[in-house]
Amino acid sequence: MTPDVTWRTLLEHRRLVLEFYLKRVDGLRRQLTLGMRNIPGDDPLLVSLETDAAEVPVPEEAKARFASEPYALKLIFIQTRLQANLTEVRRLTAAKEGEHIADTNILPEDLRHAYRDADSFLADLQLVQNSLRRNRAGVVANEGAAADIVTLAQTFGFHLAPLDIRQHSDEHEKALDELLALAGALPEGQLYSELSEMEKRELISRELRNPRPLIFRDADLSDTASRVVRVFDVVRRARRRLSPQAVVTYIISMTHEVSDLLEPLLFAKEAGLLRWEKDPETGSERLVSELDIVPLFETIDDLQNCDHLMEEAFGSPEYRLQLAARDGFQEIMLGYSDSSKDGGFLAANWALHDTQARLSKTCRDANVSLRYFHGRGGTVGRGGGRANRAIQSQPPGTFDGRIRFTEQGEVISFRYSLPPIAHRHLEQIVSASLLATETADKELAASPDPKEPDAWLNPMEEMAAHSRAVYRAMVHDDPDFWLFFAQGTPIAHISRLPIASRPVSRSGKKLSSVDDLRAIPWVFAWIQSRYVVPGWYGLGSALEWFVAGDGDDTSSRIAFLQSRYRDWLFFRTVIDNAQLELARAHLETAARYAARTDPPSLGEKFHTQISEEHARTRKWVLTVTQQEELLGHATAVRSTIALRNPAVLPISMLQVALMDTFEKQTEDGTKEADPALREALLLSITGIAAAMQSTG
């Protein structure tokens, strides 16, 4: 997302919420026709009407018409103020891209009656509500439209929803190479990216305390550096001009080092979002920061190391000042997609579970208030599944009632498009949060560092490691795998779909390896080919390896797994999610995709390998769950899958035929495919995604 798109998104948020309020206020005005009889002359509502009459340009005939209906008249004044706010937004939206827009919230003369902020709007609504309560209309004030709009204003303000800003740590580093060179902060010819980790931290520390800016306002920057810098300018403008809640969170993708956390502070300082001020009470200097800096840990290695990284960050003087400026609050985002692509299903789930336990302890030891932000996708391979069960299966002592998680793609429509379903889903989340909070409070009261028994944790760690080795042996270590994946799935055509927010490759160049591929198209391609590998591969080998043991009694190990499935919600969630994906996989269809590879032996090799692991995983999942067939606990879901498969098969066969035709038309590299053929291919992808009810 570019800085200009970010700004226009923020304006769209404000426009939508203002239009919504105008409709609600108009509806409330039509209801509140109460007269003057029971309202004393010194009621604050009547006093406010005098102020409104002097400030707000309401036609005299309207004032006369509603002179004996003070509540309706007050709401007319409120509507007029809101309309001025909406006019301002429309003018900002109409401004040309790149046109300078003042950061200060000084309104033009014709809009001076607009609300300066959402709190002023809320105060007017509460003035009406409190007057109703004082004047024997408490039921009207506390129920229905009047109470609803107050709650809505408290919830959505004038920003509708805060917009998170997210940037890759490499982009910060590239931009700082340029900015620090322009500022002369490094010796001639030396780049920031070439410094050691400690040198980076020392340099950032010096520059954070240096009052001079790194660059002048109209510095000639590259596109990369300009995008990074201008986003912070947009954030400043949004917080000053629109709402302080418009942007609060800045997320750093691929956080590997403490310097990755400190780098955004330099850009924030450059934009005026971070500054030094004198404490009015003590007279000492203090840091004022307007943004929460949120690391995103995504790969297995980063998840395994992030508690040590955060411990170092908490020990950094500059980062401690940042925390103090944010009232000791730290949000941490956990990535479910890249960890799964990196290490496979079981390893990713275990790494995320174990990471939460370690990070929570680190934050408790540092007296830091922690909230997790779970970057879940729609599919099981990207952390999807039942949100309420995911909340309740978190490690002991890690949940305090606060949580954030992403809802993506088709999951939004599935869960929220129908009010009864949305209501039920939100009830499930609230219920799970209350239960998990109560459990966590009891666990923390019983022990300062609660944890699950080592007898559970150690076997899981060993199985996760074995699963990861099996997964990586095929996906990352086999030199033939990329060729199979590129030919045996429609990944090349998925990259042309106009539905993604980002390119399918991280580098933005032509796909050439699994490492360069983003997680969403990775999962999407496996779903299209019906292997659904990200949701189960490696689990069966891990379970089989554990049961085999080192000559121990296999029956006792099987009994151990079965008892953990019954008693450990985390393990049960992992197994149940895997059996859902095992059932969704359709190897007969997948074989048609594998047969496309050149040479055919390549497809045979990997299809056999995946099929054997599927059979192995199915066998051990049924053993652990003590079921006769997959999804024995969810017969409705199983029936849906069985009903769907015959309907999806013709689309899959059509897609395979279309891909074959496409390759024949373009095999010499000199011809473009027939546009109608390309369109048909994209429609086949859309059709299978709709049938499977998931993209990635």
Side-chain angles (χ1 to χ4, degrees), residues 9-52:
T9 301
L10 291 162
L11 290 177
E12 184 69 2
H13 280 188
R14 189 173 173 98
R15 181 189 68 79
L16 286 169
V17 79
L18 287 172
E19 289 179 348
F20 177 77
Y21 288 149
L22 278 165
K23 290 178 182 177
R24 286 298 187 113
V25 170
D26 188 59
L28 183 61
R29 176 185 64 80
R30 296 173 188 278
Q31 294 180 31
L32 294 185
T33 57
L34 290 77
M36 299 280 291
R37 182 185 307 172
N38 296 319
I39 303 178
D42 61 348
D43 190 287
L45 175 72
L46 300 182
V47 175
S48 77
L49 290 177
E50 296 178 9
T51 304
D52 288 337

Side-chain angles (χ1 to χ4, degrees), residues 647-691:
V648 181
L649 181 60
I651 309 177
S652 298
M653 296 305 94
L654 177 61
Q655 185 178 89
V656 169
L658 289 169
M659 288 194 292
D660 288 341
T661 305
F662 183 91
E663 288 189 4
K664 288 177 183 177
Q665 286 191 6
T666 59
E667 60 185 349
D668 62 358
T670 61
K671 295 181 181 178
E672 283 287 327
D674 183 344
L677 174 62
R678 190 185 297 275
E679 178 69 15
L681 252 172
L682 298 184
L683 286 173
S684 74
I685 293 172
T686 304
I688 294 173

